[in-house]
Amino acid sequence: MTVLAHRVTGSDANDQLTRDALAVLQPGFEGTTAPAWLLRQVGEGLTAVGLFGRNIASPQQLAALTAQLRAERDDVLVAIDEEGGDVTRLEVRGGSSFPGNLALGAVDDTALTRDVARELGRRLAECGVNLNWAPSADVNSNPDNPVIGVRSFGADTHLAARHTAAYVEGLQAAGVAACTKHFPGHGDTNVDSHHALPRIDVDLDTLVARELVPFRAAIAAGTKAVMSAHILVPALDPTRPATLSPQILTGLLRKELGYEGLIVTDGMEMNAIAGTYGIERGSVLAIAAGADAICVGGGLADEATVLRLRDALVAAVREGALARERLADAAARVRALAAWTRQARAAAAPGAPLEGSAPGIGLAAARRAVVVSGAAAPVTTPYVATLAPVANIAVGDETPWGVAAELAALVPGTGSGVFPEGASAADVLAAAGERTVVAVVRDAHRHPWMVQALDALVAARPDTVVVEMGVPRTEPRGALYIATHGASRVCGRAAAEVIAGA
């Protein structure tokens, strides 16, 4: 698909250039209502807006916010980073009603994955959201990956591929465009691109056989958008990260894989780009490389940012650093997706649960994902000790996780405490007293202090219950070991039911 704007001249050409520069931006903003500047920019050509947890207080408030935006432009793309599981914006304050990708991959029922994605899509559509920066198609081949982990369906390439396709199909059946990420695959990294530029040093054959397989599946399933990764892959381009690479975005994704939909960048304010190229130059290079939309606004959320990026793109065209036709093509792809979402919204039955979905499907899926080792009587006097690592930026610190609240709802008198990095078993035992310790961890294999604390706890208290809410890589330990494959609210509930014998 190549869609070019009609040829215009003079002041009309200048106006069109400015509108196209606005159309390719996906900015964020502060607050739970649309600020005047944002509405003004939507009226002037801005075609997409990104939502984050700071913008959402309730489904009713979110629906009112999106209605505000659509009063300015009926086909505006309202995007969100709603993966379900650990990464939620829709339920940022209480935790997600859905398990994440790793839990779905652990169950390995593609019909369930499709139904979960369809129900999540239905809830987004009811609130007026029509573009979801999900699913993650990354194969979590590096267990020490600090940013993907439970966001991946798993370490098996073909499992990740079939569930990525099912997720895309389910989400888009609800009229919400899927944005499959992070191309060409972020799973084999040990650096978080929010902080620095990761590098994947594998040969081309490995990339083709592993990283690219889920993206081929997503394209075959009709994904409406693909998000690029801020990663350096020397086998594909030895100098530029994927987001800025013509070889990767145009050569590989467009030409070799035959993808014709929207290409969206990952957040340009992430340090992998902002700290190396700067967001203005990075945005120009991304569009020139083949990206169609610039995601920005997770940390930069004001009109000044929008105007800076708009003006950088306009100046690049006028100076010859960015082809006018490339910018026009990118803007046309954005508008084409906006038109698709408007048609999909009109075709959907508003407010009606989709066939095969149910309000409790998320909890049902989380229960199926739980794996239990050992056997113990129901715990009647628990003390929940959450050994808490620092959350990565994608997950965020604001979303609660663990089992304490869910177990307290089932077992009155449950005690709890949060123990940060460096805490010891002695600290936990002093707080727990004579109560049964329920030690909750997240990716214990990546945190030696957690493993040390768990071993000491089990040695001192053989009746200790261990709940792993990240990627389960360590040996089961404790009288009861529960792997939830995610830390969303429903994963916590499923674990609490096992502990309480419910």
Side-chain angles (χ1 to χ4, degrees):
M1 173 183 121
T2 301
V3 186
L4 296 178
H6 65 279
R7 186 178 297 276
V8 290
T9 60
S11 62
D12 288 343
N14 291 331
D15 291 345
Q16 185 64 44
L17 176 58
T18 300
R19 286 194 294 270
D20 286 349
L22 279 173
V24 302
L25 303 180
Q26 294 188 351
F29 62 96
E30 299 285 348
T32 53
T33 60
W37 72 260
L38 182 64
L39 297 175
R40 181 171 59 254
Q41 294 301 329
V42 170
E44 292 181 3
L46 188 68
T47 311
V49 174
L51 299 181
F52 298 86
R54 63 179 180 245
N55 304 124
I56 300 168
S58 70
Q60 296 76 18
Q61 167 270 325
L62 179 54
L65 169 58
T66 58
Q68 260 191 302
L69 294 168
R70 293 214 162 84
E72 290 294 330
R73 184 186 182 110
D74 183 55
D75 66 346
V76 66
L77 288 169
V78 181
I80 198 169
D81 194 4
E82 182 56 56
E83 299 177 16
D86 291 26
V87 180
T88 180
R89 310 301 180 227
L90 198 61
E91 299 180 275
V92 67
R93 290 169 179 79
S96 180
S97 300
F98 300 91
N101 285 3
L102 188 65
L104 295 172
V107 177
D108 195 13
D109 179 346
T110 53
L112 176 66
T113 295
R114 191 175 295 108
D115 283 346
V116 166
R118 187 164 48 175
E119 176 62 14
L120 177 58
R122 185 186 70 82
R123 296 190 189 186
L124 290 172
E126 280 189 339
C127 296
V129 176
N130 54 10
L131 172 58
N132 191 11
W133 294 319
S136 168
D138 308 297
V139 179
N140 199 49
S141 52
N142 185 345
D144 292 327
N145 194 313
V147 69
I148 301 299
V150 296
R151 302 168 65 196
S152 166
F153 289 109
D156 181 271
T157 296
H158 296 288
L159 178 145
R162 61 179 173 265
H163 286 277
T164 295
Y167 197 105
V168 167
E169 292 165 355
L171 193 63
Q172 293 186 170
V176 175
C179 183
T180 305
K181 61 189 184 185
H182 306 80
F183 186 81
H186 209 311
D188 192 17
T189 60
N190 58 11
V191 172
D192 185 343
S193 51
H194 292 89
H195 302 298
L197 180 62
R199 179 184 175 107
I200 296 182
D201 284 306
V202 299
D203 58 40
L204 184 59
D205 288 344
T206 300
L207 289 169
V208 170
R210 186 178 68 187
E211 269 75 18
L212 298 186
V213 174
F215 289 97
R216 288 184 184 274
I219 292 168
T223 186
K224 294 296 179 181
V226 169
M227 178 176 283
S228 66
H230 302 331
I231 56 175
L232 188 66
V233 188
L236 299 174
D237 186 333
T239 59
R240 287 189 179 178
T243 294
L244 311 183
S245 170
Q247 293 96 311
I248 294 174
L249 298 188
T250 299
L252 177 59
L253 183 53
R254 287 274 186 237
K255 294 180 179 178
E256 289 190 38
L257 301 188
Y259 175 65
E260 296 186 347
L262 191 75
I263 300 177
V264 183
T265 72
D266 206 344
M268 296 299 283
E269 70 272 36
M270 293 164 62
N271 209 43
I273 299 296
T276 53
Y277 294 86
I279 63 168
E280 291 96 334
R281 180 170 177 243
S283 296
V284 170
L285 291 173
I287 297 295
D292 306 304
I294 302 296
C295 175
V296 65
L300 299 170
D302 54 28
E303 186 173 23
T305 298
V306 174
L307 297 180
R308 281 166 53 203
L309 296 182
R310 180 201 67 184
D311 293 346
L313 291 166
V314 169
V317 169
R318 290 176 175 161
E319 294 165 4
L322 174 62
R324 177 71 186 89
E325 293 77 13
R326 171 78 274 272
L327 181 61
D329 178 61
R333 290 180 189 275
V334 174
R335 295 178 187 121
L337 180 58
W340 178 86
T341 60
R342 181 169 55 184
Q343 294 166 0
R345 187 172 81 246
L354 295 164
E355 184 180 355
S357 295
I361 193 171
L363 178 56
R367 287 169 173 159
R368 291 179 62 185
V370 167
V371 174
V372 179
S373 301
V379 178
T380 56
T381 56
Y383 180 85
V384 179
T386 303
L387 307 184
V390 176
N392 70 60
I393 293 175
V395 173
D397 292 318
E398 68 270 36
T399 303
W401 69 280
V403 303
E406 300 297 331
L407 188 57
L410 298 175
V411 183
T414 295
S416 64
V418 176
F419 298 83
E421 182 169 357
S424 67
D427 298 325
V428 173
L429 293 172
E434 298 301 313
R435 292 171 289 189
T436 302
V437 174
V438 178
V440 182
V441 295
R442 201 175 191 174
D443 291 343
H445 68 281
R446 294 199 302 109
H447 304 282
W449 70 274
M450 283 188 198
V451 175
Q452 184 177 359
L454 289 178
D455 288 342
L457 280 171
V458 172
R461 297 277 188 87
D463 63 343
T464 294
V465 175
V466 176
V467 183
E468 171 60 82
M469 303 195 80
V471 179
R473 294 281 300 180
T474 58
E475 290 297 318
R477 46 172 54 77
L480 189 65
Y481 177 87
I482 303 169
T484 62
H485 301 94
S488 70
R489 179 173 56 80
V490 289
C491 291
R493 173 72 184 194
E497 290 174 347
V498 174
I499 297 165

